[in-house]
Amino acid sequence: MAIKRITFRLYPNKAQNDKLHYWKKLHCLLYNACVYHRKTEYKKFGKNVNYFDQQNSLPAFKECWHEYKELGSHALQATVKRVDFAFQRFFKLKSGYPKFKSSRRYKGWTYLDKAGWSIESNGHHGFLSLSNLGKIKIRGKARDWGVPKTCTVMFKQGKWYASLTVECNPTRYQTDTGAIGLDFGTFQAVADSNGNLIENPRFLKAAQEKINKVAKKFRRKRNPKKGVKASRRWRKAARKVGKIQSSVGRKRQDWQHKVAVEIVSCNSLIATERLNLKGMTRKSIGKRKKQKSGLNRSILDVGIGNLKSLINYKVTEAGGLYIEISTQKVKPSQTCPNCGHQEKKTLAEREHHCEKCGYRCDRDVAAAIVMLNYARGMERASLVVESPSSTSCGSMRQLGALRRQKRQSQAQPD
Ligand SMILES: [Zn+2]
């Protein structure tokens, strides 16, 4: 069994649309109230407020603010948990102090279990029912359908969406028995060990001129320092920019899926390097600021992180093996794939030419071959280690398990 996420477009009627917006605002206000609560309790009284303190004060909160009653208690808990996530990230130094969110930027809310919503669908269109709101027509198609678990309602670019997680048995084509090494980069998005290069599609670069043109108008229409507030025309310009950007995002996602499918359909062993993307795309404060930010943009335009995770889950679903190799250990870009001789290259050297054995090929292809060879050795020695997951800060599922455990222990008489 696997958990998959599927997004449907919602088509609410006028009354439902108004209510959805109202609920989104209520959730946003709750989010901000929770941030404020934690902030002031700590500043004034030196007290740390945790998730359970806030969750347990929700019933009393609802007695005071009656409009929150129709939202469903589990949905409110999920919003409180979002605040907790933000603080957890801050405590782990992964992000800054949680900010208050404006309702324009606030995306939506989540139903954690079957309470408060239900869906009539076999994975292809249908209806979504939210309690105290009614039935909404939905459109969308799932590749694999099963038991719906959670539902997130989102508002994006003027449209409503429902993003469901579904527990299902994914059906995926058989992969071939091939093995491949992959090197991700900026000049070529992907270079594989068979010598194939996939160009960086540069979707953002193609759209950048358009964005700049609209964004220029957009910037002029608002100036908080001079007291020029957001006007209707400013909002219109902002929507236009958002529209182009999300179109770029969709194009990129489509391309990533296609590339990933192509790679997975012929290979059951995929080797690649573990990349520190955050380090690679860090801002430069030194001299070559512009060059670095241009390089960052073209790295991000490929969407390497997402592309890698798509390849990972697709090949795992098909019963194959995905291996990430530490670059410090193997040094794929410095090693000769033919004889193993190591020599440093500058970034400008696009070709691998070995001094020792005279082997010549593309630089990225050479790196991919080195990684594949190493992965084959690992597979033979069965040294494959799962790459560590980055999120471990008390997810909603873990929390649910904890709650069930507690309830069981309370139910059992000592
Ligand atoms: Zn060599």
Side-chain angles (χ1 to χ4, degrees), residues 335-341 352-359:
T335 313
C336 172
N338 195 33
C339 68
H341 173 69
H352 169 82
H353 179 214
C354 183
E355 277 185 353
K356 239 180 166 180
C357 68
Y359 186 77

Side-chain angles (χ1 to χ4, degrees), residues 89-108:
R89 280 185 66 80
F90 167 65
F91 292 143
K92 288 180 180 165
L93 303 177
K94 282 185 174 172
S95 65
Y97 195 84
K99 284 177 190 162
F100 296 119
K101 292 192 177 178
S102 77
S103 72
R104 197 154 49 78
R105 280 174 187 270
Y106 202 75
K107 288 272 152 55

